[in-house]
Structures are given as structure tokens and as C-alpha cells.
Amino acid sequence: MQDSEIQLAVVDMAGTTVADDGLVVEAFEAAADAGGLPPSGPEREHARQYVLDTMGQSKITVFRALFDHEDTAQRANATFEESYASLIAAGRAEPIPGAAEALSRLRGGGIKVALTTGFSPDTQGKLISALGWHDIADLVLAPGEGVRGRPYPDLILTALLRTGADSVQSVAALGDTASDIESALRAGCAVAAGTLTGAHGERQLVAAGATHIVTSVSDFADLLLKG
């Protein structure tokens, strides 16, 4: 694959360029308490598994699926974001080894980079700041007004519009979850790659329709840049 074929790489954060290290599940436990779920038992286990299965999706969407009332979902989501932000502030956020270098190589090869997430824009901003990644990408995007989170294609299509890529066939996407793959396929990306550094394993990523499986974001950069 020649670097001239791909103009834009849309790359996930947690689990793809940022090591998760259980932070999402840890923050979920606080959110589950705020939402009134029992501290243990089948209901709690079901909710925890649902969070794992839907990794990559907008967190408010996940909590709306878990709780019957909007105010409860909003309370749980706010607690999740606060808990995750506190973990970031405590120095728990670490990049995937080689991630910064891989993104730099992509940009050096003429491919624009958009970093996307299922977190809120505020939490994404705190994560970017904690990592010192203010200049690492051409664009950072999170779900918000007019931009739905995964598995919808909005983040990828918005990145295409804002970076001026020629078409969806000039876009490559990378993520660690089935939702990332579904979003890329819905958007029509030329590459819908799954990485093995995050929430979902190879079997789940292949089942979701991944066009490529890579061991890390470094291998993703190699894939796009190889001559």
C-alpha cells in the first residue's frame, strides 16, 4: 500500500494509542454505584460485561442502554467522566509503546492524523494534556452535538471533511474494538484495521469485519507507509 493512496488516518485513543490498563472498567464501577446498581450480583456483572462488549462507543450511549431514565444515565456518565479524569490526573494514563512515533511517521509520510474517542470532548482534552500530545495530530474529535459516537460513522466522516481528504477510499481507520471496525465500515474506509493492544481480541475484530489486524499502532503505520 503506497502512502499516496491514503490521505487520512483516523485513530482511536484508549486501547489503541493509549494503554487502557483497566481504567475504563475502574471508572465504570464508580458510575455503576452512582447509577444505583447493586455492588455485586448478576445485574452488576451484566452491566460490566455490556461495558466491555461496547468498548469504543460513546459512553453516554452506553449508560442510556444500561439505565431506564435519562437523569440516571446522565448521572452515571458524569461520574464516569469524573472518575476517569481523576485517574488521568493521578498519572495513570500511559501511551501505547511506540504510539507517538507511529503517528509522527504517518504525518511525516504525508498522511494526516485524526485522533478520536468515545469519551466526552472535555475528557479527551484532559487525556491529550496528560500525555503532552497537543501537537501530535492534525485533528482531535469526540462525540458531541451533531457528531454521534461509534458505531456511527460520524467521527470518521467529520474528520474527512475537516482535513479535506478526497474520499472515504483515501481514509484508513484503526481501533481496538468491534465498534471501531463497524464505524469504519459504515464510513466506507479503504482500511478498517483492528489492533490487538486493547479491549477486543482478534476473533472479535475479525468477526466485526476488520480488513486488517495489526499488533499495534506501529504496525498500522508500517502498513500504510510501506512501499
Side-chain angles (χ1 to χ4, degrees):
M1 181 176 299
Q2 301 291 336
D3 57 347
S4 59
E5 295 177 349
I6 297 297
Q7 299 173 359
L8 170 65
V10 180
V11 184
D12 174 51
M13 295 191 69
T16 301
T17 53
V18 182
D20 174 56
D21 195 28
L23 299 189
V24 169
V25 172
E26 194 170 335
F28 159 74
E29 299 297 348
D33 291 338
L37 288 179
S40 61
E43 188 176 0
R44 183 77 163 220
E45 288 298 325
H46 168 77
R48 187 180 294 114
Q49 187 59 51
Y50 184 78
V51 168
L52 292 172
D53 291 342
T54 58
M55 284 282 199
Q57 293 187 18
S58 169
K59 295 301 176 282
I60 183 58
T61 301
V62 172
F63 289 120
R64 282 172 177 152
L66 288 175
F67 299 105
D68 293 333
H69 301 290
E70 177 67 14
D71 59 344
T72 306
Q74 291 288 350
R75 183 168 63 252
N77 186 66
T79 301
F80 175 90
E81 298 282 354
E82 290 166 6
S83 177
Y84 194 89
S86 69
L87 294 170
I88 294 171
R92 296 278 300 277
E94 295 287 344
I96 296 287
E101 294 81 359
L103 299 181
S104 178
R105 285 198 292 123
L106 286 170
R107 297 179 77 193
I111 298 174
K112 292 184 178 179
V113 172
L115 282 178
T116 61
T117 185
F119 298 137
S120 71
D122 182 60
T123 298
Q124 184 185 42
K126 291 176 180 176
L127 187 54
I128 292 287
S129 294
L131 295 168
W133 278 7
H134 298 285
D135 300 318
I136 204 168
D138 297 278
L139 181 70
V140 294
L141 281 174
E145 186 175 353
V147 181
R148 297 169 296 180
R150 309 179 194 104
Y152 294 103
D154 299 29
L155 288 167
I156 293 172
L157 297 178
T158 300
L160 180 152
L161 290 170
R162 293 189 184 178
T163 60
D166 288 343
S167 75
V168 291
Q169 282 298 301
S170 64
V171 179
L174 177 70
D176 66 298
T177 71
S179 293
D180 289 298
I181 302 302
E182 184 176 351
S183 177
L185 294 175
R186 289 190 186 190
C189 292
V191 174
T195 178
L196 302 179
T197 53
H200 292 167
E202 183 172 3
R203 181 176 298 179
Q204 287 171 287
L205 296 170
V206 170
T211 61
H212 302 74
I213 300 294
V214 296
T215 57
S216 70
V217 62
S218 295
D219 291 333
F220 177 69
D222 291 339
L223 172 70
L224 301 190
L225 294 170
K226 68 182 180 181

